[in-house]
Amino acid sequence: MIIAIDGPAGSGKSTIAKNTAHKLGFRYLDTGAMYRAIAVRARDLGIDFDDGEQLCVIACNEPIEFGFSDDEPLPSRVFIAQKEVTDEIRRPEIDKAVSPVSAHRSVRKALVDQQRKISQLGDYVVEGRDIGTVVFPDAPVKIFLTANAEERARRRTAQNLERDIDSSYEGVLQDLRARDQYDSSRAVSPLVAADDAVTLDSTMMTIDYVTNLIVELARQAQASE
């Protein structure tokens, strides 16, 4: 089974997807980390984030791998070209690079192919921007998770501080709003809710509450199979 969770940056997708995977015994596929890995690799090679042709060379020829601990549904390490980029992909400069990198049709196609191959190995919770609309349009459970920009900026700022990343709330809020505009208006796979997705506004919800809602939807889907 695939559980597809889409939504804007800072909406809590990653945390909630990971918690859902834990509760259901599924694996978690972090598609955002895959685009971030491409961005890190491009940065290290001096490739412009607007150079779709060279980015595609990376996406098509350098498989992204996840490292899992025994019996652990969450990947603890991320690699590209056999180089670990687990920490690098969460840097603020990579936050800003994800949208332009993911806007290239050829890059998306290459990574979607990788994501579909990975998903054939078992049950997965998958989160991103176009999981329910493009990557897994037949997923039995589709969630569109959102929250207002101010709450998302508060969460992202707190995360950055926990990682010892210097950032201000106002700066994070400005970046999130710019990314929302970019992601929702891009020509390739814009950020939209699938027609059959359940929309959850997590602004006033706890992580546990949202997680339990999704787990219940998954169990209902399993029972109806």
Side-chain angles (χ1 to χ4, degrees), residues 119-177:
S119 73
Q120 294 174 1
L121 303 176
D123 297 318
Y124 277 87
V125 180
V126 191
E127 55 95 0
R129 297 293 190 283
D130 61 351
I131 307 304
T133 54
V134 175
V135 185
F136 298 110
D138 296 325
V141 178
K142 298 179 187 178
I143 306 297
F144 190 80
L145 184 64
T146 188
N148 66 41
E150 292 76 15
E151 174 62 15
R152 290 187 284 125
R154 185 194 66 76
R155 295 171 183 173
R156 182 57 56 86
T157 303
Q159 288 175 347
N160 287 345
L161 291 175
E162 288 177 1
R163 298 172 181 146
D164 293 324
I165 298 173
D166 185 27
S167 61
S168 69
Y169 168 82
E170 290 299 331
V172 170
L173 178 60
Q174 183 177 355
D175 288 344
L176 281 178
R177 284 175 170 163

Side-chain angles (χ1 to χ4, degrees), residues 38-213:
I38 298 295
V40 169
R41 185 68 172 150
R43 182 203 63 188
D44 291 348
L45 294 173
I47 295 172
D48 193 282
F49 298 136
D50 292 325
D51 190 341
E53 183 175 346
Q54 289 302 311
L55 292 173
C56 182
V57 171
I58 297 173
C60 292
N61 296 289
E62 299 186 3
I64 297 160
E65 299 174 308
F66 292 97
F68 290 86
S69 300
D70 292 341
D71 299 321
E72 173 59 55
L74 311 183
S76 55
R77 305 171 75 188
V78 184
F79 301 83
I80 184 169
Q82 299 183 326
K83 175 188 175 183
E84 182 168 2
V85 292
T86 306
D87 295 328
E88 285 296 299
I89 62 173
R90 302 301 173 188
R91 304 300 300 177
E93 66 269 23
I94 301 303
D95 284 347
K96 297 178 181 179
V98 173
S99 288
V101 167
S102 63
H104 295 289
R105 189 182 303 274
S106 57
V107 173
R108 298 197 73 84
K109 182 179 184 304
L111 291 190
V112 166
D113 288 344
Q114 286 197 46
Q115 291 155 18
R116 288 174 176 165
K117 289 177 182 176
I118 292 171
S119 73
Q120 294 174 1
L121 303 176
D123 297 318
Y124 277 87
V125 180
V126 191
E127 55 95 0
R129 297 293 190 283
D130 61 351
I131 307 304
T133 54
V134 175
V135 185
F136 298 110
D138 296 325
V141 178
K142 298 179 187 178
I143 306 297
F144 190 80
L145 184 64
T146 188
N148 66 41
E150 292 76 15
E151 174 62 15
R152 290 187 284 125
R154 185 194 66 76
R155 295 171 183 173
R156 182 57 56 86
T157 303
Q159 288 175 347
N160 287 345
L161 291 175
E162 288 177 1
R163 298 172 181 146
D164 293 324
I165 298 173
D166 185 27
S167 61
S168 69
Y169 168 82
E170 290 299 331
V172 170
L173 178 60
Q174 183 177 355
D175 288 344
L176 281 178
R177 284 175 170 163
R179 187 169 177 186
D180 286 349
Q181 175 61 28
Y182 191 102
D183 288 349
S184 61
S185 61
R186 68 189 182 198
V188 181
S189 299
L191 174 63
V192 294
D195 290 340
D196 54 347
V198 175
T199 297
L200 298 176
D201 186 332
S202 68
T203 303
M204 302 299 292
M205 297 179 182
T206 66
I207 289 172
D208 286 344
Y209 183 78
V210 176
T211 299
N212 289 334
L213 285 177

